[in-house]
Every structure is written in C-alpha cells, then in structure tokens.
Amino acid sequence: MFGQILPMKIYLGVFAALVVLTVVTVQASYLETGPAMHLIVAMVIASIKAGLVAMFFMHLKYENKITWLYAAFPLILLAILMGGLFIDNPYRVKTVPIGKQPVEEHVSAPAEH
Amino acid sequence: MSHSLFRTHWDAGVHPRLHHMDRGTAYEAAKLGMWLFLATEVLLFGGLFAAYVIYHWMYPAEFHAASHHLDRTVGLINTIVLLTSSLTAALAVDAAQHNKNKKVSLYLALTIVGALIFLAIKSYEWHHKWTDGLFPGSVSPEGIAFNSPEFTHAYKMFYGLYYCMTVVCTGFTLFLVRPTLGGYSTIQVRTAGHRSTIPQWRLVPCTGTWSIDLDLLIPLLYLIG
C-alpha cells in the first residue's frame, strides 16, 4: 500500500489533544489579561493545533522533502506579505473612511497687506 | 449499484487518470497536486488574514467590542464538530490503507454528517446576526440599519471580514462534499475487487485545511474581546 500507516492511538491521541487545546483557548479568553495577551495566547494555540492536524491527520510528518517544500512555500509567501505590511503600515498617514475626510485647512493664513 | 463505467476502464487495465504513468507515480503526483491546491488556499485565506491584521491595528477598541457580539460557545461547538470531521476523514484514509472498504464508507458518511452539522450551526448563527441587525442590509431591534452611518466603519469592517472568512469556510464545506463523494464512488469501485490508492488523498488535505482555517478564525474573530 501507499502511504505511511499510523496506529489508531495516534489519531485518537491527536484528536484528544486538539479538543483539549480548543477548550483551553476558549477558557483562556475569559481570563482578565490585556487584549494583546489574548491574541498571542490564541494564535500560539491555533498554530500548535494547525501543526498537529498537518503532521498527523494529513500525514505531513511522514512525507518526503518535496511535499514539505510544497507545504512550506505558501507560508513563506504569507510571511513576506505580512512582513511587508508590518513595515509599511506604521509609516502611513492614518487612513480615514471614505466620506469622513476632514476639510483641508490652510496651514498658514495668507498675509494681509 | 452500477459501476460498469469504472469497471470497464479498470478491466481494460486503463484508468482515465492513470493511462500515462504507473500507479506509484500517479499517487505521488495526485498528492502533490493536492498540496499545491492547499498552497493557493493558504494564499486566499492569507489575503483576508492580512486585511484583518491591518484593520485590527487601526481600530483595536471597535474590534474588541464587535467581537463580544459573537457567541464563543457556538464557536467552540463548531470547532469541535469540524475537528471530529477531520478525525473521521483521517480514519477513512486509515481504513483505506487497511483495505477495509465498509469502514471507509462509514467514515466518509460521518465526515459529510459533520459538514452538515457545521452548516446548520452556521445558519443558526447568521440568522441571529440578521435579527440583531448585524448583517449587511438588516436593521437592529433599536431601528439602526447596518448600512447607516451610525454604525461605525470599524464595526462594518469587522463584520465584513467575519462574513468573508466564514463564507470561505462554509464554501469549503460545500466544496468538500464533492471530493468526498468522489472518493466514495471510487472506493466503491475498489469493493468490486480493484484497488485504487489515489482517491483517498483527495479528502485528507481538504478536511485538514478546513479545520485549520476555522482554527485560525475562532481566535481572531471570537476570542479577541
């Protein structure tokens, strides 16, 4: 047969871990911490879960190098996109919603002579 | 059951997809194709993800407030439904690897049931959004229309992204039924005494991404408050 055969306890164990992590991430969101901490905890747990699904449910752990390359390159592209946004955004003039732009004011009043 | 069409191809030793390569090569090619499809999917979701990051950065307070309108318990239940669906899809592949065809059919049927439960919960959630005036075009009980200027831009952005991201997930659910059924019919062919190892790979990555998508969606939309 093609493909790595995994023992049943791996599937069930991974599933149990995923459910536990899901419950943990929801419970953690009720804790009294700063919003930044909420986001960090939630994203770290989500990454671990995504990794578990890819590695075991999708058998990535047992795949050859070319499959790993195919799995990795969109993440690299995504990192470039996000990296670019993080570099770019702080230096932008704050965007104002369409229709809410303030009326341009004269910075210096014209001299009256 | 009528599988005469497939059976003819197989009996002749020619499968529509296999005629130009041996089965090992075809298996590897099909698997890489699936991962390539996943790459495009990551980039599709990546665009929405990037938009989310920028708008969250611009309007943190409004995003937190808007996130409180989403029910975390419903989000939790839906995630667990999808995780179960991913498990049954993985078990279907496992059963196919052990040549247990009846089990394959059972697990695939369970996967589709999971998808339907997901859709049912989503429609319940969206119905509530409509009655609460949080859906584009709807009016809240207090008489404030979603499209009116009283409803701030940041709220509209949050819900816009919420609907886009969940539509991608829901679209996946619908899109998945086809490969799952495709896998089902080809596995039926195997029951007729033939062996195909390719179709099983169609469903694994599908349900995988599906749960990974929702996995990212829940913290971003539901849990930031």
Side-chain angles (χ1 to χ4, degrees):
Chain A
M1 274 313 276
F2 298 104
Q4 179 83 25
I5 293 176
L6 303 184
M8 183 61 85
K9 65 180 177 191
I10 285 192
Y11 290 113
L12 297 178
V14 167
F15 176 69
L18 289 170
V19 171
V20 167
L21 284 172
T22 307
V23 174
V24 164
T25 191
V26 171
Q27 289 306 316
S29 76
Y30 289 110
L31 295 177
E32 298 285 327
T33 55
M37 199 60 193
H38 274 164
L39 197 59
I40 291 169
V41 169
M43 290 316 290
V44 166
I45 293 180
S47 310
I48 295 171
K49 284 167 66 189
L52 282 175
V53 170
M55 287 297 174
F56 297 102
F57 283 2
M58 293 159 78
H59 292 204
L60 187 61
K61 191 170 190 279
Y62 311 95
E63 292 297 348
N64 49 19
K65 288 210 172 66
I66 187 106
T67 312
W68 274 87
L69 183 70
Y70 273 52
F73 91 82
L75 299 180
I76 296 166
L77 291 178
L78 194 60
I80 294 171
L81 172 70
M82 300 302 276
L85 285 172
F86 276 113
I87 294 166
D88 179 66
N89 203 45
Y91 298 101
R92 274 186 180 275
V93 178
K94 173 117 175 152
T95 321
V96 182
I98 296 162
K100 295 266 173 84
Q101 274 92 351
V103 181
E104 288 269 329
E105 286 173 27
H106 292 288
V107 179
S108 57
E112 287 179 46
H113 280 293
Chain B
M1 305 291 276
S2 61
H3 297 114
S4 52
L5 176 70
F6 296 98
R7 199 177 283 194
T8 316
H9 282 298
W10 279 92
D11 286 344
V14 183
H15 188 274
R17 284 197 300 272
L18 291 184
H19 60 88
H20 58 291
M21 48 175 108
D22 65 274
R23 283 192 192 173
T25 316
Y27 165 77
E28 289 294 329
K31 201 175 63 187
L32 275 188
M34 208 61 237
W35 280 97
L36 195 60
F37 159 70
L38 288 193
T40 66
E41 209 279 333
V42 168
L43 295 177
L44 168 75
F45 211 72
L48 289 170
F49 190 66
Y52 175 89
V53 168
I54 292 302
Y55 278 95
H56 192 177
W57 197 344
M58 284 168 65
Y59 307 104
E62 288 89 342
F63 263 51
H64 286 174
S67 142
H68 277 294
H69 288 289
L70 299 176
D71 192 339
R72 292 174 209 188
T73 317
V74 176
L76 172 70
I77 293 169
N78 236 352
T79 311
I80 289 176
V81 167
L82 280 195
L83 288 175
T84 314
S85 236
S86 299
L87 175 71
T88 52
L91 290 180
V93 173
D94 186 63
Q97 287 176 324
H98 287 100
N99 283 323
K100 287 178 181 158
N101 295 314
K102 281 202 171 151
K103 271 192 164 178
V104 175
S105 308
L106 173 72
Y107 285 133
L108 288 178
L110 286 174
T111 306
I112 295 177
V113 168
L116 294 177
I117 295 174
F118 171 80
L119 287 180
I121 296 175
K122 263 280 158 261
S123 47
Y124 161 80
E125 240 186 326
W126 284 24
H127 175 71
H128 265 252
K129 293 282 165 298
W130 179 269
T131 50
D132 289 352
L134 296 172
F135 201 90
S138 66
V139 179
S140 75
E142 294 84 39
I144 301 170
F146 185 87
N147 299 344
S148 69
E150 285 117 282
F151 214 75
T152 66
H153 179 67
Y155 261 65
K156 285 175 188 160
M157 275 317 299
F158 180 84
Y159 281 104
L161 285 167
Y162 167 76
Y163 294 120
C164 284
M165 285 172 160
T166 43
V167 158
V168 170
C169 263
T170 312
F172 247 89
T173 318
L174 296 173
F175 172 68
L176 271 185
V177 175
R178 176 66 190 86
T180 312
L181 289 177
Y184 184 79
S185 68
T186 350
I187 283 156
Q188 290 295 312
V189 180
R190 294 180 47 193
T191 334
H194 302 288
R195 190 181 284 182
S196 156
T197 47
I198 293 162
Q200 57 171 297
W201 276 106
R202 290 156 136 203
L203 25 134
V204 195
C206 277
T207 36
T209 11
W210 181 21
S211 67
I212 288 174
D213 271 0
L214 199 82
D215 190 47
L216 289 170
L217 204 119
I218 293 296
L220 285 179
L221 298 172
Y222 289 74
L223 304 180
I224 53 171

